[in-house]
Amino acid sequence: MSAANTMTLNLKIWRQKNPQTEGKLVDYRVENVSPDMSFLEMIDVLNEQLIHKGEDVIAFDHDCREGICGMCSMMIDGKAHGGFKNTTTCQVHMRMYKNGDTIVVEPFRANAFPIIKDLTVDRSAFDKIIMAGGYITANTGNAQDGNAVLIPKPIADEAMDAAACIGCGACVASCPNGSAMLFMGAKISQLALLPQGTPESAKRTLNMVHTHDTLGFGNCTTHAECEATCPKGISIEHIARMNREYTKATFTYYEKNRSEGGA
Amino acid sequence: MMTSAVNHYFCSSIGRKQLVAVTGLLLCGFLISHLLGNLLLLAGPDVFNIYAHKLVSMGPLIYLAEVGLTGIFLVHLGLAIKLNIENLKARGGKQRYYKKTNTGHGTTFMSQTMPLTGLVLLVFIILHLLNLKFGSYYPTTVAGVEMRDLYRTTMEYFQNIGNAIWYSFAMVCAAIHTAHGFGSAFQSLGLNHGKYFKHVKRLGYLYAVLVGGGFAFLSIWAHMKGV
């Protein structure tokens, strides 16, 4: 890599010591940025500089750095994950920017995602939604024969599209209402489509939706900004499926109180 | 479990927005019947006045319809305000983004202005009732029957250019409001399917243009025609 190819970037990064203190945007200048670096590697370089200067490094979430774990977040220039189609922050490369660009970097902001430090936010509200029912309780035992339960290919594909959700929270961050409907819709939809998930679908949907509503998320008004920024390209059709499941569950599902258990 | 799930429904995010959706679609239906009635203005004073007289002569039925319509409207308005306040809070408290850019593939001018166009329509409806339904009363006789000359009240109202402009502006707001609301209502009710949804959205745009445009056209026509 010749020095001629490197860029100098101006960054405005949100710095906030802890949840209690107020934060602010701080200007940084990063030199010698290779176009082949990922966005996170560029921040690593900046953090190295801060360490040498004896300053506090910028805290940010990251893990796999290959676009599948859902840990990296960040609003880059006002868009979740930078706003590139089907791309997480770790897969944003500096060649997508020009020498001399000014880039604003902020944390995901939502009432249900309180800031921990700098660009790190607490997304455990998502875990609480999953804990309310985003699983199946059947003991599956050994792996079955692959063809024992037949699932039509289009249904399997649709479930897989929903299962692509990595729970990063970009949907909440970009939603003008701070709603987690796309995340929850993907999780409910994925299980509702498959034979393993259908037996518990009604109870799951009721519990997950009611948990969502207690965590400070907003209500969907169908802006579809979530769908547009989702790094996994998840469609709001899954929200509609969740709405159907929820209505059905509300008006049809109930459990009898059985003290002695069923026969 | 049964009752508690149903109770939850009316407090839940999905349940309440489905109520907003259903009441919104019912109001869309009302607008069609209202527009068809208004189009009788084109047929002249007698036809229009007889139609209006028939409506108010329906006795308990019309009161029932009015109470029902007011109820639907209040549920739609009340829940929409409640949900919007919650949404403002859910955005992230006092600290909003320093920079927020929309992707251009999601949120639209129509979806962003829903609360605003809704409030314009609220003010419009109040003034509309005061100016026309409870406006000046002229008696007239058509075919030997004494009735209200609502045609004259309407035409006089639109002679004022300000009234005609305000009315047309409100109808543009109604078009913007329903253009998003129509498709969004289907989505909230879970009726988004890859096969038909783009047609549902198109139907919403068509509805918005025809109904909003229809009302606005009549106000301009009435202004141009004179008393």
Side-chain angles (χ1 to χ4, degrees):
Chain A
M1 171 96 323
S2 67
N5 273 340
T6 61
M7 306 187 279
T8 301
L9 293 168
N10 301 305
L11 298 170
K12 285 178 180 294
I13 300 182
W14 187 262
R15 302 302 310 262
Q16 184 171 338
K17 247 193 172 63
N18 53 47
Q20 288 77 36
T21 52
E22 295 227 347
K24 63 174 189 299
L25 283 172
V26 178
D27 291 328
Y28 294 98
R29 197 179 163 81
V30 198
E31 285 164 359
N32 296 323
V33 176
S34 154
D36 297 327
M37 280 178 182
S38 75
F39 202 87
L40 297 184
E41 284 166 343
M42 185 271 298
I43 295 190
D44 288 337
V45 170
L46 173 59
N47 272 343
E48 291 286 338
Q49 293 174 12
L50 293 179
I51 290 168
H52 284 302
K53 282 193 223 162
E55 287 177 29
D56 195 16
V57 295
I58 298 156
F60 65 97
D61 267 329
H62 63 107
D63 194 6
C64 75
R65 298 205 179 195
E66 53 187 19
I68 55 171
C69 78
M71 273 312 283
C72 57
S73 50
M74 302 189 194
M75 292 297 278
I76 304 170
D77 266 345
K79 292 178 182 173
H81 297 295
F84 304 98
K85 195 170 168 56
N86 295 351
T87 307
T88 53
T89 298
C90 63
Q91 297 301 304
V92 173
H93 287 83
M94 299 320 293
R95 55 179 167 268
M96 291 155 171
Y97 296 92
K98 288 193 301 288
N99 187 27
D101 274 359
T102 300
I103 308 171
V104 179
V105 188
E106 289 179 87
F108 281 178
R109 294 189 197 278
N111 191 30
F113 288 170
I115 293 175
I116 300 170
K117 185 177 196 290
D118 300 334
L119 304 172
T120 317
V121 298
D122 179 1
R123 285 171 282 183
S124 60
F126 270 10
D127 300 334
K128 290 182 186 131
I129 293 176
I130 293 295
M131 282 154 67
Y135 47 80
I136 62 166
T137 58
N139 187 347
T140 51
N142 289 333
Q144 275 182 320
D145 177 80
N147 294 321
V149 184
L150 296 177
I151 303 166
K153 182 74 165 70
I155 303 285
D157 285 348
E158 182 78 357
M160 189 59 220
D161 286 349
C165 169
I166 50 175
C168 66
C171 45
V172 177
S174 50
C175 176
N177 307 329
S179 178
M181 288 289 164
L182 190 66
F183 166 75
M184 191 165 56
K187 299 303 176 194
I188 287 173
S189 194
Q190 173 202 339
L191 292 169
L193 282 162
L194 297 173
Q196 294 87 344
T198 36
E200 292 169 299
S201 186
K203 194 174 180 179
R204 167 186 310 120
T205 309
L206 291 175
N207 289 343
M208 286 174 79
V209 171
H210 295 152
T211 304
H212 167 276
D213 293 351
T214 60
L215 293 169
F217 290 108
N219 312 288
C220 178
T221 55
T222 325
H223 285 286
E225 198 59 23
C226 53
E227 176 185 272
T229 44
C230 175
K232 296 297 159 183
I234 293 171
S235 159
I236 60 166
E237 271 182 54
H238 296 293
I239 299 181
R241 184 173 291 103
M242 168 180 67
N243 293 346
R244 288 202 289 280
E245 289 290 321
Y246 181 72
T247 319
K248 201 165 69 184
T250 297
F251 295 105
T252 60
Y253 176 78
Y254 84 117
E255 275 174 20
K256 284 182 183 157
N257 277 329
R258 290 189 194 278
S259 49
E260 293 161 11
Chain B
M1 184 67 202
M2 180 71 193
T3 45
S4 82
V6 175
N7 289 344
H8 263 304
Y9 178 82
F10 293 105
C11 307
S12 73
S13 49
I14 296 180
R16 286 180 300 168
K17 73 187 187 181
Q18 287 187 337
L19 285 174
V20 174
V22 169
T23 50
L25 288 176
L26 288 171
L27 291 169
C28 281
F30 163 72
L31 280 188
I32 292 180
S33 70
H34 193 328
L35 177 63
L36 291 177
N38 285 10
L39 283 171
L40 293 176
L41 281 168
L42 298 171
D46 288 356
V47 177
F48 184 72
N49 284 336
I50 291 172
Y51 168 74
H53 185 66
K54 279 250 164 68
L55 273 186
V56 293
S57 311
M58 281 182 357
L61 270 182
I62 195 71
Y63 292 121
L64 197 70
E66 283 176 350
V67 168
L69 190 60
T70 311
I72 289 167
F73 181 75
L74 289 179
V75 168
H76 188 78
L77 175 74
L79 284 178
I81 290 176
K82 182 90 188 5
L83 292 171
N84 263 293
I85 292 172
E86 287 177 16
N87 290 348
L88 283 178
K89 227 183 277 172
R91 280 171 157 210
K94 3 175 228 223
Q95 186 58 58
R96 271 312 279 168
Y97 291 113
Y98 170 81
K99 183 172 182 185
K100 175 83 162 70
T101 322
N102 293 322
T103 52
H105 307 292
T107 183
T108 59
F109 175 74
M110 299 174 292
S111 69
Q112 283 163 18
T113 52
M114 284 304 270
L116 222 64
T117 48
L119 286 176
V120 170
L121 289 174
L122 172 65
V123 174
F124 169 79
I125 288 166
I126 294 169
L127 293 175
H128 185 64
L129 287 174
L130 290 177
N131 291 328
L132 294 165
K133 185 172 169 59
F134 303 109
S136 36
Y137 187 99
Y138 302 112
T140 182
T141 312
V142 183
V145 186
E146 198 166 308
M147 58 179 70
R148 181 182 180 188
D149 194 353
L150 191 62
Y151 182 88
R152 186 173 159 194
T153 312
T154 309
M155 298 307 273
E156 275 187 7
Y157 174 75
F158 285 117
Q159 287 327 293
N160 182 324
I161 180 84
N163 286 346
I165 290 172
W166 157 246
Y167 189 96
S168 304
F169 167 73
M171 288 307 107
V172 170
C173 288
I176 294 170
H177 197 78
T178 50
H180 176 75
F182 193 88
S184 182
F186 280 82
Q187 161 76 12
S188 296
L189 294 170
L191 303 172
N192 175 348
H193 190 285
K195 253 183 170 169
Y196 335 97
F197 195 58
K198 59 175 188 290
H199 303 301
V200 171
K201 274 174 111 171
R202 278 187 201 145
L203 190 66
Y205 297 144
L206 184 72
Y207 173 93
V209 170
L210 285 182
V211 173
F215 281 112
F217 159 75
L218 281 174
S219 70
I220 296 162
W221 169 83
H223 177 74
M224 309 280 264
K225 187 169 185 294
V227 183

